[in-house]
Amino acid sequence: MSYPATDELSSEERAFMINATEIDILPGVWGDLDEPLRSGPASDLTPILMPLVDRGWIEVCRVIPWTAPDGEAGFQPGPPIPKQDLPALLADAENWEYPQSGEWFGCLTLVLTEAGRGIPR
């Protein structure tokens, strides 16, 4: 299978790939977007993200607790959310906003798959 270099992706697709590389929570993508998407509704972003998921380059997960070997508490991506559940989750504008509590557990996060990590940068 051949993969495009990131310069062959649209700037919007690259924004999602950057977010997934950073394993940032979903709202982090806003900072990598250009206008008018940056100030537009979240509903405009789902049609950009879903093809990347469908291609097998990005997984959407929830942030879960993790304990480091030294006992320090942290967080990590949980298992991928099934594709059939994503449209409803991505339609919820709250998932596209940073949590007011500052707590990331349960937030949606993007993660590159093995195939996604293989795309030349």
Side-chain angles (χ1 to χ4, degrees), residues 16 25-27 30 41-47 49-50 53 59-63 78-97 105-110:
F16 280 101
I25 63 172
L26 188 59
W30 292 110
S43 60
D44 289 349
L45 303 180
T46 300
L49 174 58
M50 286 306 297
V53 172
E59 293 176 327
V60 181
C61 309
R62 289 203 180 273
V63 175
I81 295 170
K83 284 184 196 179
Q84 68 268 18
D85 296 342
L86 292 179
L89 291 171
L90 297 174
D92 182 351
E94 189 172 306
N95 285 321
W96 294 89
E97 300 296 328
F105 294 124
C107 292
L108 298 180
T109 187
L110 304 180

Side-chain angles (χ1 to χ4, degrees), residues 18-91:
I18 289 167
N19 186 270
T21 299
E22 296 170 346
I23 312 176
D24 197 358
I25 63 172
L26 188 59
V29 76
W30 292 110
D32 296 313
L33 291 170
D34 295 325
E35 291 296 348
L37 285 174
R38 179 178 281 179
S39 59
S43 60
D44 289 349
L45 303 180
T46 300
I48 300 165
L49 174 58
M50 286 306 297
L52 298 171
V53 172
D54 291 338
R55 288 181 194 142
W57 297 346
I58 290 178
E59 293 176 327
V60 181
C61 309
R62 289 203 180 273
V63 175
I64 61 172
W66 174 74
T67 303
D70 67 0
E72 188 171 335
F75 51 89
Q76 67 181 7
I81 295 170
K83 284 184 196 179
Q84 68 268 18
D85 296 342
L86 292 179
L89 291 171
L90 297 174

